[in-house]
Amino acid sequence: MTVPMERARRAAGAPDDPVFPTLKARVIARTGHNYYEDKDDLLYDRLRKRMRVRGLSDCAAYLNLLEGAAGREEWAALEAEITIGETFFFRYAEQFTALRGTILPELIEARRETRRLRIWSAGCSTGAEPYSIAILIHELLGEALADWTVTILGTDLSAAALATAREAEFGPWALRTLDTEERARWFRRTPARPGLPHGGYALRPAFRRMVRFERQNLLSLIDGSDRAPASFDLILCRNVLIYFSADHVNRIVRALGERLNPQGWLLIGHAEPNPTFSQWLQPVALPGTVAYRPSDTPTIEPPPVLIPAIPDAAPIPLAPPAEPISDEPLGQWLAAMPAAPPEPVPFPAAPATDHPLSPGDLLAEIRVLADAGETARAWRRLHEEIDGYATDPALRYYEGLLALDLGREREGERALRGALFLDRGFIMAHFQLGLLLSRGGRRGEAARALDNALRLAQGLPPETILPEGDGVSAARLAESARRVLAGITVSDA
């Protein structure tokens, strides 16, 4: 465990390298990432990582490298390092509900004569967003897709992220909101390889070939270097604008609006709407989100409902009724589990009282690492601190998700059960435990966990966004639980 003094040193105080302010200003000027204006420690940590790779000891030497003959290559590596690429499939469930139910059906109806769609995912990171759009369009159009020309472009500043996107292979962390049936339908399992030591999930070719990727800095939209402006029916620029200054944000959004086709749509992140945008765009309130359209877009009747090519599973009767959530002590739960080859993680430990990080701050740090693809580093970081937060169910839950991403399924099960011991109403922990047990062939235990998730979700208003569900609603979770339960029932029949 990290000693308190080390934690305090890491958590506070700007770097004292005298050239750091100059280097910071240079980085922000080139990338437009004003996000780092008040985050010296975070930026310096990422700069220091690149300095170690290059064998340099201070900011002056690193600045000389950036301005020298090898600068272009190093800038690309640094830009990849400082861009926090949070990415997973169907992120922001409310926006994907709007895409499925309103935006894409309306675009499909409007473009039915030309049968052409052009979509741009700006700041696509490792590709989960444009690939999610490809999956959705594939299911909405079904067999009619063969008669359409659908272009989906993903752009990002990070060359490394784009290389990962083109490979279209992901770890469990990027698929954490998908149930077993969805994973099997859209992906195929792949063997272990460097970077994915426990195997991964390769996107099926039918979706992969719908997307192409290019490198782009969004500042090119406003500095005159974007030489080939194009028009799009749908632009997604979600959780990217946080990096830029207010002036840059306004100019980028205006430029994006200018690249929308008539009756097109723009989606930005939940935290990024701004009343100023209504000077150039027409805001449209949709359930759970706000979208934007060209100012002259007429109000039209809602489009016809499109049924996905593969319909959702119908609700199934749950008989016998779900067993109540166990009141057993955690020790009895864990004692009943098979012995694990690796040394078990001690749980629970006495809470520490000397740590300066709140559980929320630690969780945010862990997620930044995991969302950037550094799940092993996130795992190590969590285990440096976990003993001090032994009674926090959310951290135990993410301990379980990270363990599963690393192929440590026994430890993942242990952590998920620990989260449920601390919070018996933790719906996402019940659901993830059910998926894990189902994959392991433990159908009876899986059904109990999934029944608990379903029962708890059905007790909430359908639109309720579940804690630690990454935007998943109670209704969608219930639907997914039913689908997995149906598969278990069929297997047992």
Side-chain angles (χ1 to χ4, degrees):
M1 180 177 174
T2 306
V3 298
M5 186 61 69
E6 182 182 347
R7 281 200 303 265
R9 177 186 57 76
R10 184 167 53 207
D16 56 7
D17 188 310
V19 182
F20 172 75
T22 303
L23 178 56
K24 172 185 170 181
R26 181 79 176 89
V27 169
I28 291 175
R30 180 180 173 102
T31 65
H33 283 10
N34 284 71
Y35 172 83
Y36 288 104
E37 190 66 54
D38 60 352
K39 296 176 177 63
D40 285 0
D41 291 325
L42 179 59
L43 177 58
Y44 188 65
D45 181 65
R46 293 175 181 272
L47 289 169
R48 191 168 48 186
K49 184 175 178 180
R50 290 304 310 161
M51 285 190 267
R52 285 197 295 266
V53 170
R54 289 291 193 167
L56 303 174
S57 60
D58 57 34
C59 291
Y62 190 62
L63 184 58
N64 288 336
L65 173 66
L66 290 173
E67 295 179 344
R72 182 174 182 178
E73 176 186 349
E74 183 56 29
W75 271 116
L78 177 59
E79 287 163 352
E81 185 64 42
I82 67 173
T83 302
I84 302 170
E86 180 177 0
T87 181
F88 56 89
F89 279 79
F90 296 95
R91 180 175 177 234
Y92 292 154
E94 306 97 320
Q95 292 190 333
F96 271 95
T97 297
L99 284 162
R100 180 189 291 273
T102 301
I103 295 173
L104 287 173
E106 183 172 311
L107 283 175
I108 289 169
E109 183 64 21
R111 306 294 187 254
R112 194 164 293 281
E113 289 190 11
T114 62
R115 296 188 178 183
R116 289 180 177 272
L117 282 176
R118 288 179 53 83
I119 298 170
W120 177 18
S121 170
C124 69
S125 188
T126 53
E129 177 176 272
Y131 286 139
S132 296
I133 295 293
I135 290 169
L136 192 51
I137 290 175
H138 195 282
E139 296 205 341
L140 286 172
L141 286 175
E143 294 182 0
L145 179 61
D147 300 323
W148 283 69
T149 300
V150 179
T151 301
I152 304 176
L153 172 66
T155 63
D156 200 87
L157 179 63
S158 169
L162 293 175
T164 300
R166 292 185 181 102
E167 291 178 356
E169 186 175 358
F170 301 88
W173 182 259
L175 279 61
R176 62 187 182 270
T177 64
L178 306 184
D179 62 42
T180 304
E181 190 275 338
E182 289 168 332
R183 294 186 187 197
R185 192 195 323 168
W186 301 328
F187 300 85
R188 60 175 179 81
R189 284 306 309 263
T190 58
R193 65 170 179 81
L196 288 170
H198 302 283
Y201 295 83
L203 189 69
R204 295 190 180 277
F207 313 116
R208 181 177 179 177
R209 60 174 169 255
M210 294 175 67
V211 184
R212 66 183 178 87
F213 296 95
E214 295 180 3
R215 187 167 184 265
Q216 183 196 47
N217 187 336
L218 284 178
L219 287 182
S220 67
L221 297 177
I222 59 177
D223 66 8
S225 60
D226 182 26
R227 301 298 182 187
S231 56
F232 296 90
D233 300 300
L234 169 64
I235 299 175
L236 303 101
C237 187
R238 308 188 306 160
N239 209 39
V240 177
L241 300 178
I242 59 168
Y243 291 112
F244 299 102
S245 68
D247 177 61
H248 281 160
V249 167
N250 288 335
R251 294 167 66 191
I252 289 171
V253 170
R254 184 170 187 173
L256 292 173
E258 291 169 353
R259 286 160 174 77
L260 284 176
N261 283 328
Q263 299 181 31
W265 293 83
L266 169 65
L267 272 179
I268 60 177
H270 282 302
E272 297 164 339
N274 187 318
T276 306
F277 302 162
S278 61
Q279 297 179 47
W280 320 294
L281 295 163
Q282 178 187 129
V284 180
L286 298 170
T289 191
V290 174
Y292 294 88
R293 311 194 74 179
S295 299
D296 57 356
T297 302
T299 301
I300 62 175
E301 291 299 315
V305 175
L306 296 179
I307 304 300
I310 302 177
D312 295 330
I316 62 171
L318 300 180
E323 293 184 10
I325 302 171
S326 173
D327 288 323
E328 296 177 75
L330 179 64
Q332 294 181 27
W333 265 0
L334 301 181
M337 295 173 57
E343 184 180 20
V345 179
F347 178 81
T353 58
D354 57 355
H355 49 77
L357 292 174
S358 70
D361 289 340
L362 178 58
L363 180 55
E365 184 179 339
I366 298 304
R367 288 191 56 137
V368 165
L369 291 171
D371 291 331
E374 299 185 57
T375 50
R377 186 178 170 196
W379 168 268
R380 291 192 298 270
R381 179 74 182 99
L382 180 57
H383 276 272
E384 289 176 356
E385 303 282 358
I386 193 68
D387 288 352
Y389 304 86
T391 59
D392 188 275
L395 286 172
R396 289 293 173 187
Y397 173 71
Y398 281 101
E399 179 189 12
L401 293 186
L402 289 169
L404 297 180
D405 190 79
L406 296 170
R408 306 169 76 127
E409 294 193 349
R410 294 180 187 276
E411 291 172 82
E413 179 180 349
R414 180 186 177 87
L416 291 173
R417 290 190 184 276
L420 289 170
F421 178 75
L422 296 167
D423 180 359
R424 294 170 184 165
F426 199 154
I427 298 177
M428 292 306 302
H430 283 293
F431 181 67
Q432 291 290 350
L433 179 61
L435 295 182
L436 171 61
L437 295 171
S438 176
R439 291 194 297 270
R442 296 156 65 182
R443 296 192 182 107
E445 294 174 85
R448 287 193 292 273
L450 292 164
D451 282 343
N452 283 331
L454 178 59
R455 177 167 56 83
L456 290 166
Q458 288 178 326
L460 297 173
E463 69 280 3
T464 302
I465 302 302
L466 299 180
E468 310 310 330
D470 291 308
V472 170
S473 67
R476 184 172 186 272
L477 188 284
E479 172 190 311
S480 294
R482 289 191 194 100
R483 189 159 47 225
V484 181
L485 280 164
I488 293 174
T489 303
V490 169
S491 298
D492 288 342

